[in-house]
Amino acid sequence: MLCRLRFVLLALALLSGVLPLQSAAASDAAAWQALRDGEAVLILRHALAPGVGDPDNFDVSDCRTQRNLNVAGRQQARDWGAFLERHGIHEAQIFSSAWCRCKDTAELMNVGEVAIMSSLNSFFGGQGDRAAQTRQTVKSVNELPSGQPIVLVSHQVNISALTDAFTRSGEGVILALPLDEDNEVLARVMPASRP
């Protein structure tokens, strides 16, 4: 009897560890399918650009005055393109902040022509208007033509304003459409780093 009880307890312990993994994988698969079908949006933080904020002489029209992608960040952005392709996304509507580290990330992903969406610009350190930009991002995305994947490249503060999620450099979140000002994260996604 004691042996049978141990077996049952062991089986329950194993199941309790396995089922959440299967559930998470199914949830991620559903999020990717929604993205492919144009029923969700992927918003990601620009790839690795060491530092915080921008220098005092920052000028959005001059990349030399900004914090930019390093070699690892450029590779991370290219890895995003391959990662999307492995998930069946070969082309997307892709929008970026005007900051060079975001534009470069979006361009290196190579999944479509990059357009600037100014509401994706950073409002870190008192730049911009968090509430107004978040409302405008919601409105702009919800007005896009449906049926094709949508990818947004922005900044940690913008993603946090939409989701309450903190993202690492190069990390993305998939959100169901239509957006609102309090979105549920369907999946957190990031390409595996290269050795």
Side-chain angles (χ1 to χ4, degrees):
M1 183 66 142
L2 186 57
C3 199
R4 179 180 270 171
L5 179 59
R6 282 186 187 156
F7 177 78
V8 169
L9 290 175
L10 179 62
L12 287 174
L14 287 173
L15 284 175
S16 67
V18 171
L19 289 178
L21 293 176
Q22 290 174 341
S23 178
S27 176
D28 283 0
W32 280 108
Q33 186 62 52
L35 183 62
R36 283 190 296 275
D37 293 343
E39 297 171 357
V41 60
L42 168 64
I43 182 167
L44 64 118
R45 183 177 176 182
H46 59 77
L48 188 60
V52 176
D54 284 290
D56 292 337
N57 65 337
F58 168 79
D59 177 356
V60 74
S61 63
D62 185 352
C63 293
R64 296 171 300 169
T65 68
Q66 300 178 36
R67 187 165 56 94
N68 292 294
L69 302 182
N70 63 6
V71 172
R74 288 190 293 278
Q75 184 59 55
Q76 190 178 47
R78 286 188 290 272
D79 289 347
W80 256 107
F83 185 57
L84 289 172
E85 196 150 309
R86 283 194 305 276
H87 284 89
I89 298 171
H90 311 286
E91 190 174 344
Q93 300 177 73
I94 186 161
F95 299 91
S96 172
S97 156
W99 271 235
C100 295
R101 57 188 173 267
C102 292
K103 290 189 303 186
D104 291 347
T105 298
E107 289 168 0
L108 288 167
M109 290 168 69
N110 198 30
V111 292
E113 188 174 328
V114 178
I116 299 301
M117 184 181 286
S118 60
S119 62
L120 296 174
N121 290 350
S122 178
F123 42 78
F124 179 78
Q127 302 177 77
D129 181 326
R130 180 183 200 261
Q133 285 177 239
T134 302
R135 281 192 304 273
Q136 186 58 50
T137 297
V138 168
K139 182 178 186 301
S140 297
V141 170
N142 289 343
E143 291 175 350
L144 290 171
S146 61
Q148 186 180 17
I150 299 168
V151 177
L152 310 175
V153 181
S154 191
H155 306 266
Q156 184 274 318
V157 292
N158 300 68
I159 297 167
S160 290
L162 283 167
T163 65
D164 287 328
F166 181 87
T167 50
R168 297 172 291 161
S169 294
E171 183 180 17
V173 294
I174 299 175
L175 309 173
L177 290 173
L179 292 182
D180 57 36
E181 290 188 34
D182 182 29
N183 300 284
E184 180 185 351
V185 174
L186 301 178
R188 294 180 75 114
V189 293
M190 186 171 185
S193 55
R194 288 187 171 202

